[in-house]
Amino acid sequence: MKTLIFSDTHLGPLPSKRKLDFLINLIEDYDQVIINGDFWEWPRYSFNRFVNSSWSKLFPLLKKRKTYYIYGNHDPAKQSDERVSLFCDEHASKLDLKIGKKRFHFEHGHEIVPSFNKLNFLPEKRILPAVGGGLMDCFEGLGVTLIGPSFSKININRRIENKYAIKKLAKRGMDNKINILGHTHRPYLDPCSFYINTGCIKFGYATYVRIENDKISIGKERY
């Protein structure tokens, strides 16, 4: 069985045929899919608009596979409804799953890693979350466009987030489970630390996690 884990696609109000086609081609190659949060983009996009958009072309493809959906901070459960069943078999805020011989814990990561505002010493409560998210998008998008995928390696904020996640998970106790998170947008693979991050699929560049025959790897490609 081939398993695909991805997060932070942030599918929003601006349709992108290139991104849609990439996701279709990606998903088609797997038997099982885990969407690890931030599948769609709230608060700039409602769930109703999302399920009635061109992104819905992904839904039949996901339903043909065993698909798990984990809520993130940009697609919270309270902003969704029963129509999540259009694209997944199971949905939750956290998921423990055995794949092959290994045990995994999946969650988006926003409850483990401090928010963007906290790491940057801004007020904890966002008055204009959509504006704040838009500014962060512009910053990351410009960095990836000018520098390429290696921008994630020099993005200090994202590096801090991954380091914080590893420390927080170590204090929580690993329980011999490999923790797979998203949220930081920076891919990370270190089975020795029991921590993996899927990265994101944005700005024309995609990172995701593959599991096949107990082998775990990170896919990286442009679209």
Side-chain angles (χ1 to χ4, degrees):
M1 175 181 285
K2 297 175 65 177
T3 300
L4 168 70
I5 305 106
F6 67 84
S7 71
D8 297 273
T9 50
H10 291 276
L11 304 180
L14 298 178
S16 169
K17 186 176 184 302
R18 184 175 65 175
K19 187 170 184 174
L20 177 62
D21 289 344
F22 169 78
L23 287 169
I24 289 173
N25 291 330
L26 178 66
I27 293 167
E28 281 181 337
D29 197 36
Y30 292 86
D31 309 297
Q32 179 170 261
V33 178
I34 299 167
I35 304 172
N36 205 10
D38 286 3
F39 187 34
W40 55 283
E41 178 69 0
W42 177 84
R44 286 175 281 174
Y45 202 40
S46 70
F47 185 67
N48 185 62
R49 288 181 64 192
F50 171 62
V51 297
N52 288 291
S53 71
S54 59
W55 301 118
S56 64
K57 293 178 181 178
L58 293 169
F59 298 175
L61 187 65
L62 290 165
K63 287 295 287 185
K64 288 181 180 178
R65 286 138 184 85
K66 179 67 176 180
T67 298
Y68 299 90
Y69 173 47
I70 298 168
Y71 297 105
N73 57 308
H74 281 282
D75 54 355
K78 64 181 180 181
Q79 298 297 332
S80 306
D81 57 42
E82 69 279 356
R83 288 175 292 175
V84 295
S85 63
L86 292 172
F87 56 83
C88 71
D89 299 290
E90 297 183 29
H91 53 95
S93 60
K94 300 175 184 179
L95 173 68
D96 290 316
L97 193 65
K98 186 177 181 181
I99 303 175
K101 298 179 181 178
K102 294 181 173 66
R103 294 191 301 149
F104 295 88
H105 173 78
F106 299 92
E107 63 180 286
H108 182 61
H110 58 291
E111 294 183 353
I112 294 176
V113 179
S115 69
F116 164 72
N117 280 351
K118 290 181 183 178
L119 286 180
N120 286 275
F121 311 105
L122 297 176
E124 182 174 341
K125 294 183 178 180
R126 296 187 201 179
I127 297 174
L128 296 172
V131 174
L135 291 174
M136 187 62 181
D137 271 358
C138 289
F139 172 68
E140 284 194 290
L142 182 62
V144 172
T145 299
L146 295 177
I147 301 173
S150 59
F151 175 71
S152 66
K153 296 180 180 179
I154 61 174
N155 187 340
I156 295 175
N157 190 74
R158 297 307 189 186
R159 290 171 64 186
I160 292 173
E161 287 176 336
N162 270 348
K163 288 181 179 180
Y164 188 94
I166 293 171
K167 290 181 180 179
K168 190 74 175 287
L169 289 168
K171 290 181 179 179
R172 175 192 284 186
M174 298 300 184
D175 194 27
N176 291 321
K177 293 177 184 176
I178 299 173
N179 294 270
I180 300 186
L181 275 57
H183 188 55
T184 73
H185 290 195
R186 186 181 184 211
Y188 186 90
L189 175 60
D190 183 6
C192 293
S193 71
F194 290 87
Y195 173 63
I196 297 172
N197 197 290
T198 55
C200 66
I201 301 178
K202 294 185 72 176
F203 315 122
Y205 184 67
T207 62
Y208 49 88
V209 172
R210 303 172 293 213
I211 304 174
E212 184 178 9
N213 299 324
D214 284 324
K215 181 180 179 181
I216 307 169
S217 61
I218 289 184
K220 299 180 181 181
E221 57 186 298
R222 290 189 178 273
Y223 61 87

